[in-house]
Amino acid sequence: MRIAMFTNTYLPHVGGVARSVSALSDDLRALGHEVTVVAPTFPGNGEVLEIVDNVVRVPAVQNFNGSDFSVRLPVPVVLNKVLDELQLELVHSHHPFLLGDTAVRVARRYDVPLLFTHHTRYEKYTHYVSSESSRMQEFAANLATEYANLCDSAIAPSDSIAELIRARGVTVPVEVVATGVDTAAFAQHDRQAIPREFDFPAQAPVIGHVGRLAPEKNLDFLAASVTRVLRQRPDSRFIVAGEGPAQQPMEEAFDRAGVADRVFFLGNCSGQRLIDVFAAMDCFVFASRTETQGMVLTEAMAAGAPVVALDAPGAREVVDDSNGQLVDNAADSSAFAAAVIAVLGRDDLEAGIKATAARYSRDRIAREMAAIYQRCINEHETVTEEPERFDALLARIKSEWELASQKASAAVQTWSES
């Protein structure tokens, strides 16, 4: 199959969606499919609107409004010339806006199926766009729903998200496909690399977290919970891989609590270092309530670490008593800390951790997605009424964007004139 993927965030950004798109495209190519990714440009990525390593880069404003995301600038018509040569059979969109609107137009231009993966609970990220958060939350949820219904099929990364988007009004077929994990790569780790680097005491329990350090990740709660663990287990250490605006508040919280000397912020990690970071953990901790899937949870398990997480979408599909502990969503930091200490004391989790990781192997996930692609190609029917419907949706997006995102307009204008 010849596939084009459209995403607003991609490597070298190290967030979950970027890594998910990269992994899936690589794994589909390994199965013999032709995959081209259309993504924002980053410095050093090569020429804009040329295919370099199966990626077409389009102009964008980076790190919009303090976030880790990009705002696409209008794409020249020349993109069609690049795509014409690909003879596409299917378009897979990973966002409902920005490059997502381009994905719809491309799918209609070539009369091929369009799929949309609902990676993100977009209503949980509206603080990056506008202070009118309650209004924007409703709009963001409705936008994703309407966008999904323009597609042949929607992909949900977990059962929880499939149930959520159906309840919101998604009427097209919804398939559940998680992001795969390279279980073979995560098995090749050095469990002592991080403890050696920071001279941890022998046998010191290592608690860890990996992810973007952003307000929507509930990191104030996580910091409070970990503080309790560090106080109750003076021999323990806490490592954090990731960067973002929440890092400073976390550092200040640990400093006030008097445990900062046992907390280590490692910055963004990737490749073998990321694998070794996961492998160093005796317990991976996760408190986010905004996820659509448990990608970092399965990565932690692929490296052999048990998990303690709040009972929320994404986590509840992955974590159970066989591989860690799921904590009530309404629990306080004391209950979360107690769960961490309990898991640190268990030695019966290895089999459950391995079994869970195996369910999410990248090869298995890629084959599931390829089967869905083929079914959509076989069942695709030409859409005739979509131009007006899609133009109406774009008009709504434009109206809301102008009202609630003056900062984005100013950023685009400044970038365009520089």
Side-chain angles (χ1 to χ4, degrees):
M1 288 177 282
R2 295 180 296 277
I3 304 149
M5 295 189 182
F6 289 76
T7 176
N8 293 333
T9 177
Y10 195 63
L11 306 180
H13 173 58
V14 294
V17 176
R19 290 161 57 207
S20 175
V21 176
S22 175
L24 178 60
S25 59
D26 285 346
D27 295 339
L28 288 168
R29 292 186 194 108
L31 294 176
H33 305 292
E34 299 177 23
V35 183
T36 301
V37 177
V38 182
T41 188
F42 283 82
N45 284 136
E47 296 296 324
V48 173
L49 296 174
E50 289 187 0
I51 300 178
V52 178
D53 296 329
N54 300 301
V55 180
V56 181
R57 297 286 179 173
V58 300
V61 175
Q62 305 301 329
N63 303 117
F64 165 63
N65 215 21
S67 75
D68 289 333
F69 307 113
S70 304
V71 175
R72 176 184 64 82
L73 298 176
V75 178
V77 177
V78 71
L79 177 61
N80 290 333
K81 296 180 179 180
V82 174
L83 297 177
D84 282 345
E85 300 177 1
L86 301 179
Q87 298 183 316
L88 296 176
E89 295 179 88
L90 181 137
V91 171
H92 188 165
S93 175
H94 292 272
H95 293 90
F97 46 80
L98 303 176
L99 275 171
D101 62 6
T102 305
V104 175
R105 295 198 182 280
V106 169
R108 300 303 179 252
R109 174 183 172 86
Y110 299 105
D111 190 17
V112 298
L114 173 66
L115 279 75
F116 164 52
T117 293
H118 201 297
H119 286 284
T120 304
R121 296 181 66 185
Y122 300 100
E123 71 277 10
K124 301 298 184 181
Y125 291 76
T126 56
H127 53 277
Y128 287 118
V129 176
S130 172
S131 59
E132 301 177 31
S133 188
S134 60
R135 179 185 181 190
M136 285 299 293
Q137 284 179 1
E138 181 179 0
F139 168 69
N142 290 340
L143 168 62
T145 298
E146 293 186 32
Y147 186 90
N149 285 333
L150 291 173
C151 302
D152 292 71
S153 183
I155 307 297
S158 65
D159 291 327
S160 295
I161 298 304
E163 181 179 349
L164 174 68
I165 64 177
R166 288 188 184 111
R168 287 179 173 173
V170 172
T171 56
V172 300
V174 178
E175 307 278 356
V176 177
V177 183
T179 296
V181 176
D182 190 343
T183 51
F186 274 83
Q188 302 300 315
H189 55 249
D190 181 351
R191 192 173 296 278
Q192 295 303 316
I194 300 302
R196 281 197 307 270
E197 179 178 342
F198 294 99
D199 196 25
F200 291 170
Q203 308 304 316
V206 179
I207 309 152
H209 177 79
V210 173
R212 204 159 36 84
L213 305 183
E216 64 273 7
K217 301 297 184 179
N218 198 24
L219 295 173
D220 53 348
F221 175 90
L222 189 70
S225 301
V226 171
T227 293
R228 289 179 177 273
V229 177
L230 294 174
R231 284 174 170 170
Q232 294 179 55
R233 291 292 303 266
D235 57 336
S236 61
R237 300 293 185 270
F238 182 46
I239 58 176
V240 182
E243 294 178 351
Q247 178 170 337
Q248 183 175 344
M250 291 179 73
E251 290 176 335
E252 293 171 351
F254 289 127
D255 187 57
R256 288 193 301 270
V259 296
D261 60 324
R262 289 184 282 137
V263 176
F264 301 83
F265 287 88
L266 310 182
N268 286 331
C269 299
S270 59
Q272 188 61 48
R273 181 168 177 79
L274 178 62
I275 292 172
D276 290 343
V277 167
F278 276 119
M281 300 176 191
D282 296 293
C283 182
F284 180 86
V285 291
F286 197 70
S288 176
R289 298 184 175 98
T290 65
E291 306 305 307
T292 57
Q293 63 176 320
M295 183 176 176
V296 290
L297 310 183
T298 54
E299 288 177 333
M301 292 184 194
V307 173
V308 172
L310 287 180
D311 184 359
R316 67 173 59 105
E317 285 84 359
V318 177
V319 183
D320 57 36
D321 287 343
S322 74
N323 55 38
Q325 188 167 333
L326 202 61
V327 180
D328 189 283
N329 201 12
D332 60 15
S333 61
S334 177
F336 193 95
V340 174
I341 291 173
V343 166
L344 289 174
R346 293 182 63 179
D347 58 6
D348 60 339
L349 298 174
E350 182 177 357
I353 291 169
K354 287 183 177 178
T356 303
R359 294 203 308 266
Y360 293 91
S361 71
R362 281 175 50 170
D363 179 72
R364 177 176 178 178
I365 295 299
R367 292 180 186 278
E368 288 181 12
M369 189 68 80
I372 294 170
Y373 286 171
Q374 190 62 63
R375 184 164 64 250
C376 285
I377 291 171
N378 294 343
E379 298 175 355
H380 177 67
E381 297 180 1
T382 298
V383 180
T384 57
E385 77 283 0
E386 290 300 336
E388 295 79 8
R389 183 180 174 195
F390 183 56
D391 286 343
L393 177 57
L394 285 183
R396 284 193 59 214
I397 297 171
K398 183 175 184 294
S399 175
E400 293 288 347
W401 190 266
E402 288 175 346
L403 287 172
S405 184
Q406 297 91 341
K407 292 182 179 179
S409 298
V412 170
Q413 182 177 358
T414 300
W415 194 90
S416 302
E417 293 175 353
S418 63

PDB file of all heavy atoms in Angstrom, residues 275-307:
ATOM      1  N   ILE A 275      15.983   3.939  26.954  1.00  0.00           N
ATOM      2  CA  ILE A 275      15.776   2.544  27.358  1.00  0.00           C
ATOM      3  C   ILE A 275      16.458   2.270  28.698  1.00  0.00           C
ATOM      4  O   ILE A 275      15.867   1.649  29.597  1.00  0.00           O
ATOM      5  CB  ILE A 275      16.308   1.596  26.267  1.00  0.00           C
ATOM      6  CG1 ILE A 275      15.447   1.706  25.013  1.00  0.00           C
ATOM      7  CG2 ILE A 275      16.349   0.153  26.771  1.00  0.00           C
ATOM      8  CD1 ILE A 275      15.999   0.959  23.817  1.00  0.00           C
ATOM      9  N   ASP A 276      17.676   2.759  28.868  1.00  0.00           N
ATOM     10  CA  ASP A 276      18.393   2.551  30.128  1.00  0.00           C
ATOM     11  C   ASP A 276      17.735   3.299  31.285  1.00  0.00           C
ATOM     12  O   ASP A 276      17.786   2.839  32.434  1.00  0.00           O
ATOM     13  CB  ASP A 276      19.852   2.987  29.981  1.00  0.00           C
ATOM     14  CG  ASP A 276      20.662   2.052  29.085  1.00  0.00           C
ATOM     15  OD1 ASP A 276      20.206   0.917  28.851  1.00  0.00           O
ATOM     16  OD2 ASP A 276      21.736   2.471  28.620  1.00  0.00           O
ATOM     17  N   VAL A 277      17.135   4.450  30.999  1.00  0.00           N
ATOM     18  CA  VAL A 277      16.406   5.186  32.033  1.00  0.00           C
ATOM     19  C   VAL A 277      15.233   4.357  32.532  1.00  0.00           C
ATOM     20  O   VAL A 277      15.027   4.178  33.741  1.00  0.00           O
ATOM     21  CB  VAL A 277      15.929   6.553  31.495  1.00  0.00           C
ATOM     22  CG1 VAL A 277      14.906   7.182  32.444  1.00  0.00           C
ATOM     23  CG2 VAL A 277      17.110   7.499  31.310  1.00  0.00           C
ATOM     24  N   PHE A 278      14.425   3.822  31.599  1.00  0.00           N
ATOM     25  CA  PHE A 278      13.306   2.967  32.003  1.00  0.00           C
ATOM     26  C   PHE A 278      13.804   1.755  32.791  1.00  0.00           C
ATOM     27  O   PHE A 278      13.229   1.375  33.814  1.00  0.00           O
ATOM     28  CB  PHE A 278      12.542   2.487  30.772  1.00  0.00           C
ATOM     29  CG  PHE A 278      11.513   3.445  30.243  1.00  0.00           C
ATOM     30  CD1 PHE A 278      11.612   3.959  28.961  1.00  0.00           C
ATOM     31  CD2 PHE A 278      10.424   3.815  31.018  1.00  0.00           C
ATOM     32  CE1 PHE A 278      10.662   4.822  28.449  1.00  0.00           C
ATOM     33  CE2 PHE A 278       9.464   4.679  30.519  1.00  0.00           C
ATOM     34  CZ  PHE A 278       9.585   5.192  29.233  1.00  0.00           C
ATOM     35  N   ALA A 279      14.883   1.139  32.297  1.00  0.00           N
ATOM     36  CA  ALA A 279      15.373  -0.093  32.927  1.00  0.00           C
ATOM     37  C   ALA A 279      15.887   0.135  34.337  1.00  0.00           C
ATOM     38  O   ALA A 279      15.887  -0.791  35.161  1.00  0.00           O
ATOM     39  CB  ALA A 279      16.479  -0.702  32.057  1.00  0.00           C
ATOM     40  N   ALA A 280      16.319   1.359  34.637  1.00  0.00           N
ATOM     41  CA  ALA A 280      16.835   1.661  35.976  1.00  0.00           C
ATOM     42  C   ALA A 280      15.739   1.697  37.034  1.00  0.00           C
ATOM     43  O   ALA A 280      16.021   1.630  38.231  1.00  0.00           O
ATOM     44  CB  ALA A 280      17.568   3.010  35.958  1.00  0.00           C
ATOM     45  N   MET A 281      14.491   1.786  36.605  1.00  0.00           N
ATOM     46  CA  MET A 281      13.389   2.021  37.543  1.00  0.00           C
ATOM     47  C   MET A 281      12.912   0.736  38.204  1.00  0.00           C
ATOM     48  O   MET A 281      12.670  -0.263  37.549  1.00  0.00           O
ATOM     49  CB  MET A 281      12.215   2.675  36.801  1.00  0.00           C
ATOM     50  CG  MET A 281      12.554   4.011  36.174  1.00  0.00           C
ATOM     51  SD  MET A 281      11.131   4.658  35.218  1.00  0.00           S
ATOM     52  CE  MET A 281      11.920   6.018  34.345  1.00  0.00           C
ATOM     53  N   ASP A 282      12.754   0.827  39.492  1.00  0.00           N
ATOM     54  CA  ASP A 282      12.085  -0.234  40.240  1.00  0.00           C
ATOM     55  C   ASP A 282      10.586   0.008  40.298  1.00  0.00           C
ATOM     56  O   ASP A 282       9.824  -0.892  40.658  1.00  0.00           O
ATOM     57  CB  ASP A 282      12.653  -0.307  41.661  1.00  0.00           C
ATOM     58  CG  ASP A 282      14.118  -0.698  41.660  1.00  0.00           C
ATOM     59  OD1 ASP A 282      14.415  -1.848  41.291  1.00  0.00           O
ATOM     60  OD2 ASP A 282      14.971   0.156  41.986  1.00  0.00           O
ATOM     61  N   CYS A 283      10.172   1.223  39.926  1.00  0.00           N
ATOM     62  CA  CYS A 283       8.749   1.542  39.826  1.00  0.00           C
ATOM     63  C   CYS A 283       8.588   2.785  38.961  1.00  0.00           C
ATOM     64  O   CYS A 283       9.211   3.818  39.232  1.00  0.00           O
ATOM     65  CB  CYS A 283       8.130   1.784  41.208  1.00  0.00           C
ATOM     66  SG  CYS A 283       6.348   2.129  41.158  1.00  0.00           S
ATOM     67  N   PHE A 284       7.788   2.680  37.922  1.00  0.00           N
ATOM     68  CA  PHE A 284       7.457   3.825  37.076  1.00  0.00           C
ATOM     69  C   PHE A 284       6.163   4.430  37.598  1.00  0.00           C
ATOM     70  O   PHE A 284       5.183   3.718  37.847  1.00  0.00           O
ATOM     71  CB  PHE A 284       7.275   3.380  35.624  1.00  0.00           C
ATOM     72  CG  PHE A 284       6.939   4.509  34.685  1.00  0.00           C
ATOM     73  CD1 PHE A 284       7.940   5.274  34.115  1.00  0.00           C
ATOM     74  CD2 PHE A 284       5.624   4.813  34.381  1.00  0.00           C
ATOM     75  CE1 PHE A 284       7.639   6.329  33.251  1.00  0.00           C
ATOM     76  CE2 PHE A 284       5.307   5.850  33.522  1.00  0.00           C
ATOM     77  CZ  PHE A 284       6.315   6.613  32.961  1.00  0.00           C
ATOM     78  N   VAL A 285       6.136   5.757  37.780  1.00  0.00           N
ATOM     79  CA  VAL A 285       4.955   6.414  38.344  1.00  0.00           C
ATOM     80  C   VAL A 285       4.354   7.363  37.325  1.00  0.00           C
ATOM     81  O   VAL A 285       5.064   8.052  36.589  1.00  0.00           O
ATOM     82  CB  VAL A 285       5.300   7.169  39.646  1.00  0.00           C
ATOM     83  CG1 VAL A 285       5.628   6.181  40.755  1.00  0.00           C
ATOM     84  CG2 VAL A 285       6.458   8.139  39.445  1.00  0.00           C
ATOM     85  N   PHE A 286       3.008   7.417  37.305  1.00  0.00           N
ATOM     86  CA  PHE A 286       2.289   8.167  36.276  1.00  0.00           C
ATOM     87  C   PHE A 286       0.968   8.651  36.858  1.00  0.00           C
ATOM     88  O   PHE A 286       0.154   7.846  37.321  1.00  0.00           O
ATOM     89  CB  PHE A 286       2.040   7.249  35.080  1.00  0.00           C
ATOM     90  CG  PHE A 286       1.687   7.956  33.820  1.00  0.00           C
ATOM     91  CD1 PHE A 286       2.617   8.719  33.136  1.00  0.00           C
ATOM     92  CD2 PHE A 286       0.415   7.834  33.287  1.00  0.00           C
ATOM     93  CE1 PHE A 286       2.300   9.348  31.940  1.00  0.00           C
ATOM     94  CE2 PHE A 286       0.083   8.452  32.093  1.00  0.00           C
ATOM     95  CZ  PHE A 286       1.025   9.226  31.422  1.00  0.00           C
ATOM     96  N   ALA A 287       0.762   9.969  36.820  1.00  0.00           N
ATOM     97  CA  ALA A 287      -0.432  10.532  37.451  1.00  0.00           C
ATOM     98  C   ALA A 287      -1.330  11.292  36.489  1.00  0.00           C
ATOM     99  O   ALA A 287      -2.307  11.915  36.909  1.00  0.00           O
ATOM    100  CB  ALA A 287      -0.023  11.468  38.599  1.00  0.00           C
ATOM    101  N   SER A 288      -1.033  11.258  35.196  1.00  0.00           N
ATOM    102  CA  SER A 288      -1.816  12.028  34.240  1.00  0.00           C
ATOM    103  C   SER A 288      -3.238  11.480  34.124  1.00  0.00           C
ATOM    104  O   SER A 288      -3.462  10.265  34.143  1.00  0.00           O
ATOM    105  CB  SER A 288      -1.147  12.002  32.866  1.00  0.00           C
ATOM    106  OG  SER A 288      -1.941  12.662  31.911  1.00  0.00           O
ATOM    107  N   ARG A 289      -4.192  12.413  33.966  1.00  0.00           N
ATOM    108  CA  ARG A 289      -5.589  12.049  33.718  1.00  0.00           C
ATOM    109  C   ARG A 289      -6.016  12.415  32.297  1.00  0.00           C
ATOM    110  O   ARG A 289      -7.196  12.302  31.969  1.00  0.00           O
ATOM    111  CB  ARG A 289      -6.505  12.763  34.717  1.00  0.00           C
ATOM    112  CG  ARG A 289      -6.260  12.413  36.184  1.00  0.00           C
ATOM    113  CD  ARG A 289      -7.293  13.101  37.060  1.00  0.00           C
ATOM    114  NE  ARG A 289      -7.190  12.724  38.451  1.00  0.00           N
ATOM    115  CZ  ARG A 289      -6.555  13.438  39.379  1.00  0.00           C
ATOM    116  NH1 ARG A 289      -5.933  14.561  39.035  1.00  0.00           N
ATOM    117  NH2 ARG A 289      -6.523  13.037  40.633  1.00  0.00           N
ATOM    118  N   THR A 290      -5.089  12.879  31.466  1.00  0.00           N
ATOM    119  CA  THR A 290      -5.446  13.422  30.154  1.00  0.00           C
ATOM    120  C   THR A 290      -4.998  12.545  28.993  1.00  0.00           C
ATOM    121  O   THR A 290      -5.108  12.948  27.840  1.00  0.00           O
ATOM    122  CB  THR A 290      -4.828  14.819  29.963  1.00  0.00           C
ATOM    123  OG1 THR A 290      -3.391  14.707  29.934  1.00  0.00           O
ATOM    124  CG2 THR A 290      -5.231  15.758  31.082  1.00  0.00           C
ATOM    125  N   GLU A 291      -4.498  11.342  29.266  1.00  0.00           N
ATOM    126  CA  GLU A 291      -3.928  10.525  28.205  1.00  0.00           C
ATOM    127  C   GLU A 291      -5.005   9.798  27.403  1.00  0.00           C
ATOM    128  O   GLU A 291      -6.119   9.570  27.867  1.00  0.00           O
ATOM    129  CB  GLU A 291      -2.963   9.495  28.788  1.00  0.00           C
ATOM    130  CG  GLU A 291      -1.882  10.082  29.654  1.00  0.00           C
ATOM    131  CD  GLU A 291      -1.085  11.167  28.953  1.00  0.00           C
ATOM    132  OE1 GLU A 291      -0.572  10.907  27.847  1.00  0.00           O
ATOM    133  OE2 GLU A 291      -0.978  12.277  29.510  1.00  0.00           O
ATOM    134  N   THR A 292      -4.630   9.411  26.190  1.00  0.00           N
ATOM    135  CA  THR A 292      -5.489   8.550  25.392  1.00  0.00           C
ATOM    136  C   THR A 292      -4.973   7.124  25.366  1.00  0.00           C
ATOM    137  O   THR A 292      -5.704   6.203  25.010  1.00  0.00           O
ATOM    138  CB  THR A 292      -5.580   9.064  23.943  1.00  0.00           C
ATOM    139  OG1 THR A 292      -4.256   9.135  23.392  1.00  0.00           O
ATOM    140  CG2 THR A 292      -6.223  10.446  23.907  1.00  0.00           C
ATOM    141  N   GLN A 293      -3.723   6.940  25.703  1.00  0.00           N
ATOM    142  CA  GLN A 293      -3.156   5.602  25.737  1.00  0.00           C
ATOM    143  C   GLN A 293      -1.985   5.586  26.715  1.00  0.00           C
ATOM    144  O   GLN A 293      -1.506   6.622  27.145  1.00  0.00           O
ATOM    145  CB  GLN A 293      -2.668   5.181  24.350  1.00  0.00           C
ATOM    146  CG  GLN A 293      -1.538   6.041  23.809  1.00  0.00           C
ATOM    147  CD  GLN A 293      -1.020   5.530  22.481  1.00  0.00           C
ATOM    148  OE1 GLN A 293      -0.896   4.324  22.277  1.00  0.00           O
ATOM    149  NE2 GLN A 293      -0.732   6.442  21.571  1.00  0.00           N
ATOM    150  N   GLY A 294      -1.535   4.378  27.053  1.00  0.00           N
ATOM    151  CA  GLY A 294      -0.459   4.255  28.028  1.00  0.00           C
ATOM    152  C   GLY A 294       0.861   3.922  27.379  1.00  0.00           C
ATOM    153  O   GLY A 294       1.530   2.952  27.764  1.00  0.00           O
ATOM    154  N   MET A 295       1.305   4.712  26.414  1.00  0.00           N
ATOM    155  CA  MET A 295       2.518   4.396  25.671  1.00  0.00           C
ATOM    156  C   MET A 295       3.736   4.291  26.583  1.00  0.00           C
ATOM    157  O   MET A 295       4.495   3.314  26.529  1.00  0.00           O
ATOM    158  CB  MET A 295       2.754   5.452  24.595  1.00  0.00           C
ATOM    159  CG  MET A 295       3.953   5.184  23.714  1.00  0.00           C
ATOM    160  SD  MET A 295       4.078   6.419  22.400  1.00  0.00           S
ATOM    161  CE  MET A 295       5.606   5.915  21.616  1.00  0.00           C
ATOM    162  N   VAL A 296       3.959   5.294  27.439  1.00  0.00           N
ATOM    163  CA  VAL A 296       5.134   5.227  28.320  1.00  0.00           C
ATOM    164  C   VAL A 296       4.985   4.101  29.341  1.00  0.00           C
ATOM    165  O   VAL A 296       5.985   3.572  29.837  1.00  0.00           O
ATOM    166  CB  VAL A 296       5.395   6.562  29.041  1.00  0.00           C
ATOM    167  CG1 VAL A 296       5.869   7.623  28.071  1.00  0.00           C
ATOM    168  CG2 VAL A 296       4.175   7.037  29.807  1.00  0.00           C
ATOM    169  N   LEU A 297       3.754   3.721  29.651  1.00  0.00           N
ATOM    170  CA  LEU A 297       3.545   2.632  30.590  1.00  0.00           C
ATOM    171  C   LEU A 297       4.005   1.306  29.987  1.00  0.00           C
ATOM    172  O   LEU A 297       4.670   0.502  30.644  1.00  0.00           O
ATOM    173  CB  LEU A 297       2.067   2.548  30.978  1.00  0.00           C
ATOM    174  CG  LEU A 297       1.399   3.853  31.438  1.00  0.00           C
ATOM    175  CD1 LEU A 297      -0.042   3.579  31.844  1.00  0.00           C
ATOM    176  CD2 LEU A 297       2.172   4.475  32.587  1.00  0.00           C
ATOM    177  N   THR A 298       3.652   1.079  28.727  1.00  0.00           N
ATOM    178  CA  THR A 298       4.079  -0.160  28.085  1.00  0.00           C
ATOM    179  C   THR A 298       5.576  -0.147  27.809  1.00  0.00           C
ATOM    180  O   THR A 298       6.229  -1.198  27.845  1.00  0.00           O
ATOM    181  CB  THR A 298       3.295  -0.391  26.782  1.00  0.00           C
ATOM    182  OG1 THR A 298       3.404   0.761  25.929  1.00  0.00           O
ATOM    183  CG2 THR A 298       1.831  -0.650  27.086  1.00  0.00           C
ATOM    184  N   GLU A 299       6.144   1.026  27.542  1.00  0.00           N
ATOM    185  CA  GLU A 299       7.597   1.116  27.370  1.00  0.00           C
ATOM    186  C   GLU A 299       8.306   0.769  28.673  1.00  0.00           C
ATOM    187  O   GLU A 299       9.322   0.058  28.675  1.00  0.00           O
ATOM    188  CB  GLU A 299       7.987   2.513  26.892  1.00  0.00           C
ATOM    189  CG  GLU A 299       7.607   2.785  25.447  1.00  0.00           C
ATOM    190  CD  GLU A 299       7.948   4.198  25.013  1.00  0.00           C
ATOM    191  OE1 GLU A 299       7.987   5.098  25.879  1.00  0.00           O
ATOM    192  OE2 GLU A 299       8.146   4.397  23.809  1.00  0.00           O
ATOM    193  N   ALA A 300       7.783   1.291  29.783  1.00  0.00           N
ATOM    194  CA  ALA A 300       8.377   0.970  31.080  1.00  0.00           C
ATOM    195  C   ALA A 300       8.350  -0.535  31.325  1.00  0.00           C
ATOM    196  O   ALA A 300       9.339  -1.141  31.768  1.00  0.00           O
ATOM    197  CB  ALA A 300       7.635   1.712  32.192  1.00  0.00           C
ATOM    198  N   MET A 301       7.218  -1.161  31.014  1.00  0.00           N
ATOM    199  CA  MET A 301       7.107  -2.608  31.224  1.00  0.00           C
ATOM    200  C   MET A 301       8.012  -3.380  30.275  1.00  0.00           C
ATOM    201  O   MET A 301       8.561  -4.427  30.647  1.00  0.00           O
ATOM    202  CB  MET A 301       5.650  -3.039  31.065  1.00  0.00           C
ATOM    203  CG  MET A 301       4.748  -2.512  32.171  1.00  0.00           C
ATOM    204  SD  MET A 301       3.062  -3.136  32.012  1.00  0.00           S
ATOM    205  CE  MET A 301       2.204  -2.034  33.158  1.00  0.00           C
ATOM    206  N   ALA A 302       8.168  -2.879  29.040  1.00  0.00           N
ATOM    207  CA  ALA A 302       9.067  -3.553  28.105  1.00  0.00           C
ATOM    208  C   ALA A 302      10.501  -3.557  28.618  1.00  0.00           C
ATOM    209  O   ALA A 302      11.293  -4.440  28.265  1.00  0.00           O
ATOM    210  CB  ALA A 302       8.999  -2.877  26.737  1.00  0.00           C
ATOM    211  N   ALA A 303      10.837  -2.563  29.458  1.00  0.00           N
ATOM    212  CA  ALA A 303      12.166  -2.509  30.072  1.00  0.00           C
ATOM    213  C   ALA A 303      12.199  -3.211  31.425  1.00  0.00           C
ATOM    214  O   ALA A 303      13.238  -3.222  32.094  1.00  0.00           O
ATOM    215  CB  ALA A 303      12.608  -1.056  30.233  1.00  0.00           C
ATOM    216  N   GLY A 304      11.061  -3.776  31.848  1.00  0.00           N
ATOM    217  CA  GLY A 304      11.021  -4.570  33.068  1.00  0.00           C
ATOM    218  C   GLY A 304      10.522  -3.870  34.306  1.00  0.00           C
ATOM    219  O   GLY A 304      10.577  -4.436  35.407  1.00  0.00           O
ATOM    220  N   ALA A 305      10.003  -2.630  34.181  1.00  0.00           N
ATOM    221  CA  ALA A 305       9.582  -1.868  35.357  1.00  0.00           C
ATOM    222  C   ALA A 305       8.085  -2.030  35.627  1.00  0.00           C
ATOM    223  O   ALA A 305       7.270  -1.913  34.712  1.00  0.00           O
ATOM    224  CB  ALA A 305       9.906  -0.390  35.172  1.00  0.00           C
ATOM    225  N   PRO A 306       7.693  -2.270  36.885  1.00  0.00           N
ATOM    226  CA  PRO A 306       6.273  -2.232  37.241  1.00  0.00           C
ATOM    227  C   PRO A 306       5.788  -0.789  37.243  1.00  0.00           C
ATOM    228  O   PRO A 306       6.596   0.149  37.270  1.00  0.00           O
ATOM    229  CB  PRO A 306       6.247  -2.834  38.648  1.00  0.00           C
ATOM    230  CG  PRO A 306       7.593  -2.508  39.211  1.00  0.00           C
ATOM    231  CD  PRO A 306       8.544  -2.557  38.046  1.00  0.00           C
ATOM    232  N   VAL A 307       4.464  -0.602  37.230  1.00  0.00           N
ATOM    233  CA  VAL A 307       3.889   0.732  37.088  1.00  0.00           C
ATOM    234  C   VAL A 307       2.852   0.996  38.169  1.00  0.00           C
ATOM    235  O   VAL A 307       2.036   0.123  38.492  1.00  0.00           O
ATOM    236  CB  VAL A 307       3.228   0.897  35.701  1.00  0.00           C
ATOM    237  CG1 VAL A 307       2.474   2.213  35.608  1.00  0.00           C
ATOM    238  CG2 VAL A 307       4.278   0.809  34.596  1.00  0.00           C
TER     239      VAL A 307
END
